[in-house]
Amino acid sequence: MTTRMVGEKVQRVEDDRLLRGRGQYVDDLMPGALEVAVLRSPHAHARIVDIDVEAVLDVEGVHAVYTYDDLSGAMAEPLPLLIPHPALTHGRTQYALARDEVNHVGEAIAMVVADDRYIAEDAVARIRVDYDFLPPVVGLPAARAADHLVHDDVPGNIAARLEQQVGDAEAAIAAAPHRLSLDLDVERSACTPIEGRGTVARWDTDSHRLQVWTSTQTSTGVRAAVAAKLELDLGQVDVITPDVGGGFGVKIMHPWPEELLVPMAAMALGRPVKFTEDRREHFISSAHERAQQQHVDVGFDDDGRLLGLSVEFWHDNGAYTPYGLIVPIITSTQLLGPYKPAAYKVVFESLYTNTVIVTPYRGAGRPQGVYAMERTMDAIAAHLGKDRADVRAVNFIQPDEFPYDQGMTFQDGRPLIYDSGDFPESLAKLRELVGWDDFEAFRERARAEGRRVGIGLACYVEGTGVGPYEGAHIQVETSGRVKVAIGLTSQGQGHQTVFAQIVADELGVPFEDVEVVTGDTRRMAYAVGTFASRAAVMSGSAVALAARRTREKALRIAADALEADVEDLEIVDGTVRVKGAPSAQIALGTVAVLSNPLRYAFDEASKAATQFTVGDPGRPPVAEGEEPGLEGREFYSPERSTFANGMHAVIVETDPDTAEIKILKYAVVHDCGNLINPMIVEGQIHGGVAQGVGGALYERMEYDEYGQLLNASFMDFLMPYITEVPDRIDIDHLETPSPLNPLGLKGAGEAGVIPSAAVFASAIEDAEGFPITAMPISPSELFELRRRHEDS
């Protein structure tokens, strides 16, 4: 019998190839292609008076140089505003090459195409640009003050203002027996994948087709953008995503200027052209996230129950808004977490600054929302002298209240309705996993040794599996092997493994016989992308539906061949057989042969499908409503998002002299519905926790007042080493299946990072005994907070 695969810790099939150095990334492709270098603005805010490229034109090995004046048609228009929103009243996007103004250090001004990157870089250095300097707006305080404007036609630097409200929060707070106010800050950070952005393009002058390979999280999105901007038919453009060395959100942004300029140059020059981003370029010309200032007013009763919650926050969207308001909308809605305040009001302003654009970074606004809510929960507990876990528990949505409508609109424009969960059970598991109830005894022992320790917890709910759709195509070859194509791209999530597990179960074939292809528009032309913890929910559901369709067809064909009833058949280990009579069987590969009536025989197997061998002369060879081939194609489009959830706890030790922060224990309880591959889910959690440690304790973008990024290298941008992340993460799973999709799945990709800032702030505050209101926090900042606390 076929062993059931879904739910098992199946080893990833991708790893052998990648660990042996056999991966193929964009920079590995098209050796000998022409290469580009980009001239980027050294200034945060300036008008371009003149660009002189004369000194470049005679450089040997240079094939072309482009400025804005060389762009025409759609290429001369601003880049797309990908996700419009009614509240985004002053959305602005950049040009592929700056037209007459630059708005952040790193903005693209000119591009040189040369024989290699060395010549291109030397040529770029010869370009002369005259600027009129403008005052830069750096940081949220400057943006809010609006003494200077990033864009002359955007009053107050306000790109958008959005308010949502359920009940009368202000009246509820005013009437509450207890009230608190908090002011909180979250600093800027960034994705920093090992592989930066990269694009290579080739134009076939005979077929008039464009092929683009790019390191992206959305092949189909890039394809549509390239076709639109280069004024090609969609069918003329193929976009293939090879191996991707990390995305974390920055590569869902598209099209980047280079994703348009490189194909444009390839078409103009009739040669393959390649762009590979270097590390400094990634820091100053890709995307950042996280920075917000938050103000919270809350009213609550003697048990800590939320009677009214009002939140106002200011979101730094950088110089442009190509990805719309997705990040602050997620903050404003996911802030609610597993709780049910009696009344809730949230208002945010999204503000322009002369800094790198902001697009989603793993967690995408959720870490900020969780930080605001969980800091509020800790403040309520401190005010009432109650256990922090108990205050959370009294506010939980209960298991019998699902589906639970929060009364708000989520990032996908659909109602914020939680589909499933059991928050009390998750908290009980977490308390046991981290030793919450025994911690005070541990604290006393540590104190007797002169040590300072603290414990913190944080809860979250994560909207996952956002639409609008994903699809899958499954084909059974005459060899019996199964080919699966999905439109999603993969950046290390294990797609080739988990989707093969689904197909193996649904179709009844050996796991080893399933091959999954991702991110190739030649194989799957319609897709959305890999983001928002949506791959398993969206593509997993589409794969299951396509496999079921393929199975139904296989059984119909086999029923004719075996002269049996469809209901009496089963597929086991790639063989269709009669239940209870295994000798009456037919291989799935043979069924694939029979599915394609042939006039010509090409081998022994195909003889079985020729016109004098099979078929009823009284019926068409291909029945009405059928198609040749044993394959299935399906799309899954959800009614609304699924909502995963989880809770993290951490025990830290803060050095009494140096204020260094050491992690003693880290625990996670996670609920993403039914698990396809628990090992891969745990790997996602491990990676997310490591990224969250960086975001909470180390990583930030340090801009000076002139808009210069001071730490734009891995020498200066601190990231945790293996010595700084927990050497062990205790994980427990709760599985409350989603009723919204055929496999009961909820997403898992971002879970590890979402509560990190909140949980570390909680633990450090517990260790030190004074409020932590800004993250990330470094030893030097903690040391200064100690000094101020002692002086107060």
Side-chain angles (χ1 to χ4, degrees), residues 64-201:
V65 57
Y66 298 96
T67 67
Y68 175 80
D69 289 341
D70 299 298
L71 307 180
S72 61
M75 280 295 292
E77 299 170 359
L79 298 184
L81 200 166
L82 293 171
I83 308 176
H85 190 282
L88 185 55
T89 54
H90 293 78
R92 299 292 181 270
T93 61
Q94 71 187 93
Y95 293 88
L97 293 170
R99 187 176 69 171
D100 47 23
E101 183 172 308
V102 289
N103 285 299
H104 67 87
V105 171
E107 186 166 350
I109 296 174
M111 183 181 82
V112 171
V113 186
D115 285 341
D116 57 44
R117 179 68 175 261
Y118 301 100
I119 296 172
E121 292 279 7
D122 290 344
V124 159
R126 292 171 174 246
I127 300 174
R128 295 290 174 260
V129 183
D130 292 333
Y131 300 94
D132 275 346
F133 301 120
L134 299 169
V137 178
V138 182
L140 281 169
R144 292 174 63 185
D147 295 329
H148 303 290
L149 299 178
V150 175
H151 303 285
D152 287 341
D153 59 346
V154 179
N157 293 312
I158 300 171
R161 184 182 187 277
L162 181 62
E163 176 177 330
Q164 293 197 66
Q165 182 164 332
V166 179
D168 190 339
E170 291 169 350
I173 294 168
H178 305 279
R179 294 180 295 277
L180 287 173
S181 295
L182 292 82
D183 288 293
L184 305 166
D185 283 274
V186 180
E187 275 281 5
R188 230 177 217 249
S189 189
C191 301
T192 59
I194 290 177
E195 180 202 31
R197 297 178 293 120
T199 300
V200 59

Side-chain angles (χ1 to χ4, degrees), residues 305-318:
R305 187 172 288 104
L306 296 172
L307 303 177
L309 177 66
S310 178
V311 178
E312 185 174 13
F313 69 90
W314 297 265
H315 172 76
D316 181 348
N317 58 229

Side-chain angles (χ1 to χ4, degrees), residues 474-496:
I474 294 176
Q475 180 176 9
V476 180
E477 298 281 1
T478 56
S479 64
R481 292 189 61 80
V482 181
K483 303 297 177 69
V484 183
I486 60 171
L488 289 185
T489 64
S490 187
Q491 303 88 46
Q493 297 94 334
H495 292 163
Q496 291 175 318

Side-chain angles (χ1 to χ4, degrees), residues 20-39:
R20 293 178 188 275
R22 295 174 184 162
Q24 273 211 319
Y25 302 86
V26 167
D27 197 48
D28 297 319
L29 305 175
M30 292 287 172
L34 302 178
E35 299 195 56
V36 308
V38 180
L39 175 67

